[in-house]
């Protein structure tokens, strides 16, 4: 297979091509929406919203900044440009879009191995490029190799650059195959919300719960910026059980605009088991499960004495109370070193104080509730903007190339 090749484009032509690609998805083509809906189970309105959201950060101004930031120093001609093997995971369409646009901003062609859970968006990108930005056709390829394919093993051993998302086991396998070749990883990460008592008023609780519900609902908690747990400070106008009830109501309402996928039997069993565990663990300390009766998910559990337990997704959220400075070790223990995003309601200085005491829970993205799923273009995913990580790999590849001759 001939490797992808990035064309010789100046900055203005590159920005124009990327803008044309974005514009082609401002009204996502119905066949692409249908394909994404079929692969993810998200109803059409949800799939369309997910596609729009994937391209929304890439305004003209944002694209100009990314292309300027990705400019390699003393870049050689296109024939010498290294290419990127991108191994994707999960079902969130924003990942494929972010990888492709960031790689191109760094003047790097990309070969994509899509996630087996959601292969359609990468193919849709190739088709869109052929229609609206044909000069970029040589810069993108999509392969359908399985994780055991010999083609993938060869590509891992030879690709000049590699970006791999997925589980710890995936990262370990890629690391072993790559040796000292430039490689970056997008490991499993999670997100949370911290609500301080200053933000808990009778006038604000409905609006705050609705904002958190939107972040939970988009992608049905299948992305690294999907909040899994909400920490709520005691002593406000609204206490933890009241806030959990408000969040459950908000999750029921948001289904009208972001309808959820229907869980399969295994996922539904996991949700029911999670609810039963919550009832059992919370009963001695006054825990609550919302809704108290009826269909689940969505599901909100209030556990006064508990800590975060990795949940089943599908709009299942834990609400955990705290007093004063939150003890993040106790409350968010399994997230240590794996926090991608934190939404903060209340004084941001109090969150900084908590993170100073528990630095293992620092997040590369901190925002207000309702903004977790809307990071800006070029945000510090996994701690480093992706365009910068790719540009750094290019420099590493060029530094070692003379030694390999």
């Amino acid at each position: 297979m001939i490797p992808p090749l990035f064309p010789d484009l100046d900055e203005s032509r590159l920005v124009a091509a990327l803008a044309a690609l974005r514009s082609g998805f401002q009204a996502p083509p119905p066949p692409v929406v249908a394909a994404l809906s079929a692969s993810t189970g998200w109803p059409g309105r949800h799939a369309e919203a997910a596609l729009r959201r994937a391209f929304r950060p890439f305004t003209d101004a944002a694209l100009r900044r990314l292309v300027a930031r990705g400019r390699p120093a003393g870049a050689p001609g296109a024939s010498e440009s290294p290419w990127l093997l991108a191994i994707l995971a999960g079902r969130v369409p924003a990942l494929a879009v972010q990888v492709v646009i960031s790689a191109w901003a760094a003047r790097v062609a990309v070969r994509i191995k899509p996630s087996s859970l959601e292969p359609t968006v990468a193919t849709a990108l190739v088709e869109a490029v052929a229609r609206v930005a044909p000069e970029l056709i040589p810069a993108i390829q999509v392969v359908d190799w399985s994780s055991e394919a010999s083609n993938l093993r060869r590509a891992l051993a030879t690709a000049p650059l590699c970006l791999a998302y997925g589980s710890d086991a995936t990262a370990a396998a890629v690391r072993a195959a790559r040796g000292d070749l430039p490689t970056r990883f997008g490991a499993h990460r999670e997100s949370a919300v911290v609500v301080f008592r200053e933000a808990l008023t009778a006038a604000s609780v409905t609006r705050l719960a609705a904002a958190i519900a939107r972040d939970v609902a988009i992608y049905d908690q299948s992305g690294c910026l999907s909040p899994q747990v909400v920490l709520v400070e005691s002593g406000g106008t609204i206490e933890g059980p009241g806030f959990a009830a408000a969040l459950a109501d908000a999750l029921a309402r948001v289904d009208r605009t972001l309808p959820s996928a229907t869980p399969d039997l295994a996922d539904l069993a996991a949700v029911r088991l999670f609810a039963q565990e919550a009832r059992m663990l919370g009963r001695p300390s006054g825990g609550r499960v919302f809704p108290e009766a009826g269909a689940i998910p969505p599901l909100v559990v209030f556990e006064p004495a508990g800590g975060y337990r990795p949940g089943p997704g599908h709009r299942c959220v834990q609400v955990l109370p705290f007093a004063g400075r939150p003890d993040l070790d106790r409350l968010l223990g399994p997230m240590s070193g794996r926090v991608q995003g934190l939404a903060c309601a209340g004084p941001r200085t109090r969150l900084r104080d908590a993170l100073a005491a528990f630095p293992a829970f620092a997040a590369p993205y901190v925002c207000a509730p309702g903004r977790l799923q809307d990071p800006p273009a070029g945000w510090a995913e996994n701690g480093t903007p992706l365009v910068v990580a790719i540009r750094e790999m290019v420099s590493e590849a060029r530094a070692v190339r003379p030694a390999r001759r």
Side-chain angles (χ1 to χ4, degrees):
M1 185 181 225
I2 299 172
L5 182 68
F6 197 81
D8 186 12
L9 298 177
D10 62 27
E11 288 197 11
S12 61
R13 290 172 62 200
L14 177 54
V15 169
L18 295 177
L21 179 62
R22 176 210 61 214
S23 297
F25 284 88
Q26 287 177 330
V32 180
V33 173
L36 180 62
S37 179
S39 70
T40 61
W42 300 332
R45 281 179 296 164
H46 192 154
E48 182 175 353
L51 283 167
R52 290 179 185 273
R53 189 175 294 259
F55 287 90
R56 189 159 65 193
F58 298 104
T59 63
D60 288 351
L63 289 173
R64 286 193 293 271
R65 288 193 297 269
L66 277 180
V67 167
R69 196 171 193 183
R71 184 193 307 125
S79 62
E80 298 181 65
S81 177
W83 57 274
L84 173 74
L85 173 64
I87 300 171
L88 306 187
R91 55 171 55 91
V92 177
L95 178 60
V97 175
Q98 165 91 344
V99 167
V100 169
I101 291 180
S102 297
W104 287 349
R107 286 66 164 180
V108 169
V110 61
R111 178 178 288 169
I112 302 173
K113 179 191 177 301
S115 166
S116 59
L117 296 175
E118 204 308 287
T120 65
V121 169
T123 300
L125 285 172
V126 174
E127 294 169 351
V129 165
R131 290 194 307 271
V132 304
E135 59 269 50
L136 287 170
I137 289 174
I140 184 169
Q141 295 174 355
V142 176
V143 296
D144 61 357
W145 303 328
S146 74
S147 58
E148 302 300 323
S150 59
N151 286 340
L152 178 58
R153 290 195 295 270
R154 283 194 295 271
L156 282 170
T158 59
L161 318 174
C162 182
L163 176 65
Y165 290 86
S167 65
D168 292 347
T170 295
V174 170
R175 189 175 286 110
R178 294 286 294 167
D180 62 353
L181 290 170
T183 309
R184 297 293 187 274
F185 298 96
H188 171 73
R189 284 177 174 258
E190 297 177 291
S191 295
V193 182
V194 182
V195 179
F196 292 105
R197 64 177 183 273
E198 291 88 343
L200 286 171
T201 67
S204 67
V205 66
T206 299
R207 183 173 64 253
L208 177 57
I212 296 170
R214 287 194 301 274
D215 279 336
V216 170
I218 189 67
Y219 315 131
D220 288 336
Q221 286 181 304
S222 54
C224 63
L225 289 172
S226 298
Q228 308 291 328
V229 57
V230 183
L231 310 183
V232 178
E233 186 176 15
S234 303
T237 303
I238 305 296
E239 293 289 347
F243 187 82
L247 180 56
D249 289 343
L251 284 169
R253 288 193 301 272
V254 80
D255 196 65
R256 301 168 192 166
T257 53
L258 289 171
S260 63
T262 301
D264 61 24
L265 288 177
D267 290 334
L268 188 57
V271 171
R272 292 188 177 279
L273 178 61
F274 190 75
Q276 287 301 110
E277 289 178 341
R279 290 187 176 97
M280 179 185 68
L281 294 171
R283 188 176 296 121
S285 55
R288 301 282 297 277
V289 173
F290 301 93
E292 295 178 331
I296 54 174
L299 175 73
V300 179
V301 301
F302 173 70
E303 297 183 10
Y308 170 61
R309 294 179 291 122
H314 294 285
R315 310 192 189 190
C316 297
V317 188
Q318 276 182 281
V319 174
L320 306 177
F322 68 93
R325 187 176 68 191
D327 181 345
L328 299 181
D329 273 340
R330 182 184 70 80
L331 293 166
L332 298 180
M335 287 191 185
S336 178
R338 293 183 178 273
V339 181
Q340 186 78 288
L342 285 173
C344 175
R348 197 70 64 88
T349 53
R350 295 193 61 196
L351 178 63
R352 287 196 290 268
D353 174 65
L355 294 176
F358 301 97
F361 299 90
Y365 179 50
V366 178
C367 62
R371 300 292 299 172
L372 269 174
Q373 303 283 17
D374 284 301
W379 68 288
E381 176 191 346
N382 300 310
T384 304
L386 189 52
V387 68
V388 173
I390 295 171
R391 190 187 66 199
E392 290 173 349
M393 282 195 286
V394 171
S395 297
E396 292 171 22
R398 289 175 180 155
V400 301
R401 186 166 50 198
R404 289 174 174 265
R405 287 177 176 169

